[in-house]
mmCIF file of all heavy atoms in Angstrom:
data_model
loop_
_atom_site.group_PDB
_atom_site.id
_atom_site.type_symbol
_atom_site.label_atom_id
_atom_site.label_comp_id
_atom_site.label_asym_id
_atom_site.label_seq_id
_atom_site.Cartn_x
_atom_site.Cartn_y
_atom_site.Cartn_z
ATOM 1 N N ARG A 182 -240.657 2.102 176.487
ATOM 2 C CA ARG A 182 -239.491 2.939 176.767
ATOM 3 C C ARG A 182 -239.841 3.760 177.946
ATOM 4 O O ARG A 182 -240.822 4.480 178.027
ATOM 5 C CB ARG A 182 -239.144 3.753 175.542
ATOM 6 C CG ARG A 182 -237.760 4.445 175.604
ATOM 7 C CD ARG A 182 -237.997 5.814 176.023
ATOM 8 N NE ARG A 182 -236.811 6.722 175.607
ATOM 9 C CZ ARG A 182 -236.366 7.777 176.254
ATOM 10 N NH1 ARG A 182 -237.019 8.209 177.275
ATOM 11 N NH2 ARG A 182 -235.367 8.463 175.726
ATOM 12 N N MET A 685 -228.190 3.566 163.385
ATOM 13 C CA MET A 685 -229.014 4.335 164.313
ATOM 14 C C MET A 685 -228.228 5.518 164.860
ATOM 15 O O MET A 685 -228.835 6.605 165.056
ATOM 16 C CB MET A 685 -229.413 3.405 165.503
ATOM 17 C CG MET A 685 -230.327 2.284 164.975
ATOM 18 S SD MET A 685 -230.766 1.008 166.269
ATOM 19 C CE MET A 685 -231.850 1.906 167.316
ATOM 20 N N ILE A 697 -240.038 0.514 167.464
ATOM 21 C CA ILE A 697 -238.926 -0.221 166.839
ATOM 22 C C ILE A 697 -239.287 -1.685 166.877
ATOM 23 O O ILE A 697 -239.725 -2.219 167.897
ATOM 24 C CB ILE A 697 -237.584 -0.010 167.679
ATOM 25 C CG1 ILE A 697 -237.100 1.424 167.525
ATOM 26 C CG2 ILE A 697 -236.492 -0.995 167.005
ATOM 27 C CD1 ILE A 697 -235.830 1.661 168.273
ATOM 28 N N ALA A 718 -225.706 -2.586 174.209
ATOM 29 C CA ALA A 718 -225.509 -1.424 173.390
ATOM 30 C C ALA A 718 -226.705 -1.093 172.534
ATOM 31 O O ALA A 718 -227.020 0.051 172.368
ATOM 32 C CB ALA A 718 -224.174 -1.603 172.534
ATOM 33 N N PHE A 719 -227.327 -2.171 171.947
ATOM 34 C CA PHE A 719 -228.457 -1.979 171.132
ATOM 35 C C PHE A 719 -229.686 -1.411 171.938
ATOM 36 O O PHE A 719 -230.372 -0.493 171.452
ATOM 37 C CB PHE A 719 -228.822 -3.266 170.394
ATOM 38 C CG PHE A 719 -230.166 -3.189 169.577
ATOM 39 C CD1 PHE A 719 -230.122 -2.628 168.299
ATOM 40 C CD2 PHE A 719 -231.312 -3.597 170.067
ATOM 41 C CE1 PHE A 719 -231.260 -2.446 167.589
ATOM 42 C CE2 PHE A 719 -232.448 -3.542 169.418
ATOM 43 C CZ PHE A 719 -232.475 -2.979 168.161
ATOM 44 N N LEU A 720 -229.865 -1.909 173.114
ATOM 45 C CA LEU A 720 -230.934 -1.469 173.954
ATOM 46 C C LEU A 720 -230.715 -0.027 174.362
ATOM 47 O O LEU A 720 -231.685 0.749 174.430
ATOM 48 C CB LEU A 720 -231.085 -2.414 175.188
ATOM 49 C CG LEU A 720 -231.477 -3.853 174.842
ATOM 50 C CD1 LEU A 720 -231.449 -4.651 176.132
ATOM 51 C CD2 LEU A 720 -232.857 -3.873 174.120
ATOM 52 N N VAL A 721 -229.500 0.385 174.675
ATOM 53 C CA VAL A 721 -229.255 1.756 175.007
ATOM 54 C C VAL A 721 -229.532 2.614 173.801
ATOM 55 O O VAL A 721 -230.147 3.692 173.983
ATOM 56 C CB VAL A 721 -227.824 1.940 175.475
ATOM 57 C CG1 VAL A 721 -227.425 3.419 175.568
ATOM 58 C CG2 VAL A 721 -227.584 1.206 176.818
ATOM 59 N N GLU A 722 -229.134 2.242 172.615
ATOM 60 C CA GLU A 722 -229.377 3.020 171.382
ATOM 61 C C GLU A 722 -230.826 3.094 171.080
ATOM 62 O O GLU A 722 -231.362 4.077 170.627
ATOM 63 C CB GLU A 722 -228.587 2.393 170.250
ATOM 64 C CG GLU A 722 -228.439 3.306 169.003
ATOM 65 C CD GLU A 722 -227.637 4.580 169.369
ATOM 66 O OE1 GLU A 722 -226.845 4.609 170.286
ATOM 67 O OE2 GLU A 722 -227.882 5.607 168.665
ATOM 68 N N SER A 723 -231.608 1.924 171.378
ATOM 69 C CA SER A 723 -233.055 1.948 171.174
ATOM 70 C C SER A 723 -233.689 2.919 172.090
ATOM 71 O O SER A 723 -234.596 3.732 171.682
ATOM 72 C CB SER A 723 -233.542 0.599 171.318
ATOM 73 O OG SER A 723 -233.087 -0.352 170.367
ATOM 74 N N HIS A 724 -233.224 2.919 173.324
ATOM 75 C CA HIS A 724 -233.828 3.858 174.321
ATOM 76 C C HIS A 724 -233.549 5.313 173.946
ATOM 77 O O HIS A 724 -234.472 6.169 174.058
ATOM 78 C CB HIS A 724 -233.225 3.566 175.733
ATOM 79 C CG HIS A 724 -233.653 4.440 176.800
ATOM 80 N ND1 HIS A 724 -233.121 5.651 177.086
ATOM 81 C CD2 HIS A 724 -234.752 4.292 177.651
ATOM 82 C CE1 HIS A 724 -233.738 6.221 178.157
ATOM 83 N NE2 HIS A 724 -234.814 5.480 178.412
ATOM 84 N N ARG A 725 -232.409 5.618 173.355
ATOM 85 C CA ARG A 725 -232.091 6.986 172.971
ATOM 86 C C ARG A 725 -232.943 7.451 171.835
ATOM 87 O O ARG A 725 -233.434 8.576 171.777
ATOM 88 C CB ARG A 725 -230.628 7.081 172.468
ATOM 89 C CG ARG A 725 -230.201 8.451 172.075
ATOM 90 C CD ARG A 725 -228.838 8.415 171.394
ATOM 91 N NE ARG A 725 -228.794 7.684 170.136
ATOM 92 C CZ ARG A 725 -229.237 8.227 168.962
ATOM 93 N NH1 ARG A 725 -229.738 9.433 168.952
ATOM 94 N NH2 ARG A 725 -229.133 7.488 167.893
ATOM 95 N N THR A 726 -233.238 6.517 170.850
ATOM 96 C CA THR A 726 -234.013 6.953 169.733
ATOM 97 C C THR A 726 -235.536 6.922 169.793
ATOM 98 O O THR A 726 -236.228 7.461 169.032
ATOM 99 C CB THR A 726 -233.598 6.077 168.487
ATOM 100 O OG1 THR A 726 -233.842 4.740 168.794
ATOM 101 C CG2 THR A 726 -232.148 6.291 168.159
ATOM 102 N N LEU A 727 -235.986 6.163 170.843
ATOM 103 C CA LEU A 727 -237.460 6.055 171.047
ATOM 104 C C LEU A 727 -237.992 7.167 171.913
ATOM 105 O O LEU A 727 -237.301 7.734 172.784
ATOM 106 C CB LEU A 727 -237.807 4.706 171.756
ATOM 107 C CG LEU A 727 -237.825 3.464 170.912
ATOM 108 C CD1 LEU A 727 -237.938 2.228 171.788
ATOM 109 C CD2 LEU A 727 -239.012 3.470 169.920
ATOM 110 N N LEU A 733 -240.647 -1.030 171.979
ATOM 111 C CA LEU A 733 -239.623 -1.803 171.413
ATOM 112 C C LEU A 733 -240.183 -3.301 171.326
ATOM 113 O O LEU A 733 -240.450 -3.883 172.398
ATOM 114 C CB LEU A 733 -238.355 -1.795 172.145
ATOM 115 C CG LEU A 733 -237.210 -2.822 171.824
ATOM 116 C CD1 LEU A 733 -236.694 -2.575 170.344
ATOM 117 C CD2 LEU A 733 -236.048 -2.817 172.832
ATOM 118 N N PHE A 757 -236.435 0.041 180.033
ATOM 119 C CA PHE A 757 -237.617 -0.540 179.388
ATOM 120 C C PHE A 757 -238.530 -1.304 180.439
ATOM 121 O O PHE A 757 -237.936 -1.901 181.334
ATOM 122 C CB PHE A 757 -237.260 -1.508 178.254
ATOM 123 C CG PHE A 757 -236.712 -0.777 177.069
ATOM 124 C CD1 PHE A 757 -235.322 -0.782 176.844
ATOM 125 C CD2 PHE A 757 -237.517 -0.131 176.150
ATOM 126 C CE1 PHE A 757 -234.765 -0.115 175.722
ATOM 127 C CE2 PHE A 757 -236.972 0.493 175.022
ATOM 128 C CZ PHE A 757 -235.571 0.470 174.860
#
Side-chain angles (χ1 to χ4, degrees):
R182 192 261 202 207
M685 294 173 74
I697 295 178
F719 175 78
L720 295 176
V721 169
E722 197 61 26
S723 297
H724 181 269
R725 179 189 68 79
T726 56
L727 281 168
L733 169 65
F757 293 99

